[in-house]
Amino acid sequence: MWSPRRFLGAGVLTVGVVIGVAMCPIPQASATSTMNTFQVPFVMNCSTFFNPCSFNPVAITGEVPGTVTFPALYPTEPGQPNVKGSYYMHWRNLGTGTAGMLVLPYSEAVSVFTGAGLVTASMTTGFEFIAGTGVFSVP
C-alpha cells in the first residue's frame, strides 16, 4: 500500500528525471576517425640474405559508418614516380560473415564497405613470412 509520503517521493523523482532529460542536450554522433594498428606485424625478407623486416599495417575506421580505409603504404610525393606493385588485404566481418579481398596499390588509399561490427583483416604479398593481421571494431 502506498503512503502519501512514498507517492510524493515517487512523483518528485519522476518529475526530476523528466526535467533532466528535457534540459540536457542530446549527444550527437561524431565522425571521428580511429587509426587501428594491426596486432600481428607483417614480416618479410628485405634483402638477398635472410634479413627479416617488419611493420604494423593500419586500418582507419569511423570516417564513414561501416567503412574501413587502408591507407597508402608509400604515399606519392610531388615530383616522385609512383611506387609500382600491390598487396592483398583479406577482410571478414565477424558479426555478419561477409568477407572480401582487395588488391591495393602501394601508393593509394582504398576504402571498402565491411559493415559495422568486429572486423578482421590480413595483409599479404605472396612473399611474406607472417601476414600482418588485425582485429578492430567498425562503427
Side-chain angles (χ1 to χ4, degrees):
M1 180 155 194
W2 282 73
S3 69
R5 188 184 310 178
R6 192 170 180 190
F7 184 71
L8 181 61
V12 169
L13 181 65
T14 303
V15 170
V17 169
V18 169
I19 290 174
V21 169
M23 298 299 287
C24 292
I26 297 171
Q28 300 294 323
S30 63
T32 58
S33 61
T34 303
M35 186 172 293
N36 304 287
T37 303
F38 285 24
Q39 291 86 2
V40 177
F42 177 83
V43 181
M44 65 181 280
N45 189 14
C46 291
S47 68
T48 305
F49 301 105
F50 181 73
N51 182 19
C53 60
S54 68
F55 69 95
N56 289 78
V58 296
I60 300 170
T61 58
E63 293 176 325
V64 177
T67 303
V68 177
T69 301
F70 299 104
L73 296 179
Y74 303 108
T76 55
E77 297 178 13
Q80 298 295 323
N82 288 344
V83 175
K84 301 296 182 195
S86 59
Y87 64 97
Y88 306 98
M89 191 64 73
H90 308 267
W91 61 270
R92 176 174 298 272
N93 185 319
L94 299 176
T96 62
T98 57
M101 193 257 315
L102 302 168
V103 179
L104 302 163
Y106 281 111
S107 58
E108 293 180 22
V110 176
S111 295
V112 62
F113 181 79
T114 60
L118 201 58
V119 173
T120 180
S122 293
M123 177 187 168
T124 62
T125 61
F127 304 106
E128 72 278 348
F129 295 133
I130 300 172
T133 305
V135 179
F136 42 89
S137 179
V138 178

